[in-house]
Amino acid sequence: LCCPRAREFSAATDPIFQLAASNLRFGKSATTECGQDLKEYFKCQKIVVFTDSNIKQLACFQTLLESLEQSQIQSEIFDQVRVEPNDVSYRDAISFLSNRSYDGVVAMGGGSVIDTAKAANLYACHSTDFYDYVNPPLGKGLPVPGAIKPLIAIPTTAGTGSETTGVAIFDDSPTKSKTGIADRYLRPSLGIVDPVNTIDLPTEVAIYTGLDVFCHAIESYTALPSTKRIKPTSPLLRPAYQGSNPVSDIWSLYAIETVVQALPKVLESNNDNEEARFAMLLASSAAGMGFGNAGVHLCHGMSYPVSSQVKKGNEFYKNVAHPLIPHGLSVIVNAPAVFEFTGV
């Protein structure tokens, strides 16, 4: 590792970084293999599928159900995921899953669906007070005590990269803030990244989620180097977001370069350019592997007051009744000021 960052440490800081790799499958129609994965690799017989009411109506969801049926996988559907989930919607999902007999979970949707499935699976497997695993200062930030049941994540947006990360984000209603749960055990067992699943993505949503990818990549690349962070007293306490490092930089730079080339093509074609859609999905997962190990910083931190404080209105996404500012928009509005600051 010839990167100067690898040599920037003292006795008080951490000379070690840990790469938590993601198990991903890319390709057109990869969704059709989900049933076989559950049956042959994960040895599942009965699963719960997480989605939302919009995705449930799309052809990609029917493809998933057909794959499960062909492999004789029993499934039950939870389709009440909230766009931009909060503590209340998380608790509802946790209650639903905790009262089911299951041996695996599939999440098909955007980051809201995948994050909700992560949280529900965690608490169904390791039940405790809701705030025990939540990041400080709102929660105790306790480490997850052990493995959870298999989770296959199938993204339908090119944005959050949640199929690669051990993080589940939500709005905390009592404090009107945004926080999350972060632990490597939350990372999906398999991410199935299929460009067919973004065919029906509205152009506006594709742009906002694409801007989220862009910020993920730049923020993780410019994050505080891992070698400048304090060394934990135990390897178990080394955070998932450990700072930029030579490996996360590779993923972040690839994502930056790809988004610059592909996102304008998505906009020009009204999301009808298959090559650009596939490139954005690759960029989303690559950025996820970058920031899933390095972390993000000011753009995302400053976006939370923007998104969590909105009290009325939603002119952005159809079929979403509650007040909403798209996450990618709340992030990108801060980006010019942030990168002017970090670039000095």
Side-chain angles (χ1 to χ4, degrees):
L1 298 174
C2 60
C3 176
R5 290 173 177 165
R7 299 190 296 273
E8 294 177 3
F9 63 88
S10 67
T13 55
D14 195 352
I16 300 168
F17 68 90
Q18 179 173 338
L19 177 67
S22 300
N23 185 16
L24 297 176
R25 180 179 301 137
F26 295 90
K28 189 174 181 179
S29 299
T31 305
T32 61
E33 298 181 347
C34 183
Q36 291 174 286
D37 289 316
L38 290 166
K39 181 178 180 179
E40 298 171 9
Y41 186 76
F42 295 109
K43 309 300 182 185
C44 294
Q45 296 179 329
K46 187 174 183 180
I47 67 157
V48 174
V49 179
F50 280 76
T51 192
D52 63 39
S53 57
N54 293 320
I55 298 297
K56 188 179 178 182
Q57 308 303 318
L58 300 180
C60 61
F61 191 75
Q62 296 308 309
T63 299
L64 170 61
L65 295 183
E66 289 170 6
S67 175
L68 300 178
E69 184 178 352
Q70 289 170 4
S71 293
Q72 298 179 318
I73 303 293
Q74 299 178 53
S75 63
E76 190 169 359
I77 299 171
F78 179 82
D79 63 357
Q80 299 302 306
V81 171
R82 186 181 192 267
V83 178
E84 298 295 336
N86 59 18
D87 56 301
V88 176
S89 68
Y90 266 17
R91 290 175 191 270
D92 289 344
I94 292 166
S95 176
F96 180 91
L97 193 60
S98 298
N99 288 296
R100 299 301 186 277
S101 172
Y102 75 103
D103 47 23
V105 176
V106 174
M108 173 174 268
S112 297
V113 170
I114 298 173
D115 283 6
T116 298
K118 290 177 185 176
N121 195 25
L122 166 61
Y123 287 91
C125 292
H126 302 293
S127 179
T128 186
D129 180 78
F130 179 74
Y131 287 98
D132 280 354
Y133 299 129
V134 174
N135 295 335
L138 295 181
K140 295 180 180 179
L142 298 181
V144 175
I148 58 180
K149 293 181 180 179
L151 166 61
I152 296 181
I154 310 176
T156 58
T157 65
T160 67
S162 187
E163 71 276 6
T164 71
T165 71
V167 180
I169 301 297
F170 67 95
D171 291 316
D172 186 57
S173 301
T175 59
K176 296 182 180 179
S177 61
K178 209 172 186 86
T179 185
I181 305 164
D183 195 284
R184 291 182 179 89
Y185 277 123
L186 288 185
R187 194 177 302 270
S189 309
L190 172 65
I192 295 179
V193 185
D194 182 349
V196 173
N197 296 338
T198 59
I199 288 176
D200 296 309
L201 192 65
T203 303
E204 190 175 51
V205 180
I207 295 303
Y208 288 139
T209 54
L211 292 172
D212 191 26
V213 175
F214 195 49
C215 281
H216 284 159
I218 302 180
E219 288 176 66
S220 57
Y221 186 67
T222 58
L224 182 74
S226 64
T227 50
K228 291 188 176 181
R229 294 182 179 272
I230 296 174
K231 186 174 182 179
T233 56
S234 164
L236 295 177
L237 299 178
R238 183 169 286 112
Y241 283 5
Q242 60 197 304
S244 62
N245 59 75
V247 179
S248 67
D249 285 353
I250 295 172
W251 294 111
S252 300
L253 285 172
Y254 172 83
I256 292 169
E257 294 169 356
T258 303
V259 171
V260 168
Q261 295 175 7
L263 191 56
K265 295 178 183 178
V266 170
L267 177 59
E268 292 165 5
S269 67
N270 288 321
N271 200 39
D272 197 35
N273 184 318
E274 183 176 293
E275 182 180 355
R277 284 204 320 272
F278 192 23
M280 284 303 301
L281 274 168
L282 282 168
S284 178
S285 293
M289 287 186 277
F291 89 83
N293 287 282
V296 288
H297 55 78
L298 286 173
C299 291
H300 275 74
M302 293 167 64
S303 78
Y304 296 153
V306 175
S307 59
S308 64
Q309 298 299 323
V310 61
K311 295 179 174 62
K312 63 180 180 179
N314 175 25
E315 58 186 275
F316 304 100
Y317 292 168
K318 297 178 180 178
N319 303 319
V320 178
H322 57 271
L324 172 68
I325 293 178
H327 174 65
L329 176 58
S330 68
V331 169
I332 201 67
V333 295
N334 298 297
V338 167
F339 296 125
E340 182 179 0
F341 173 76
T342 58
V344 173

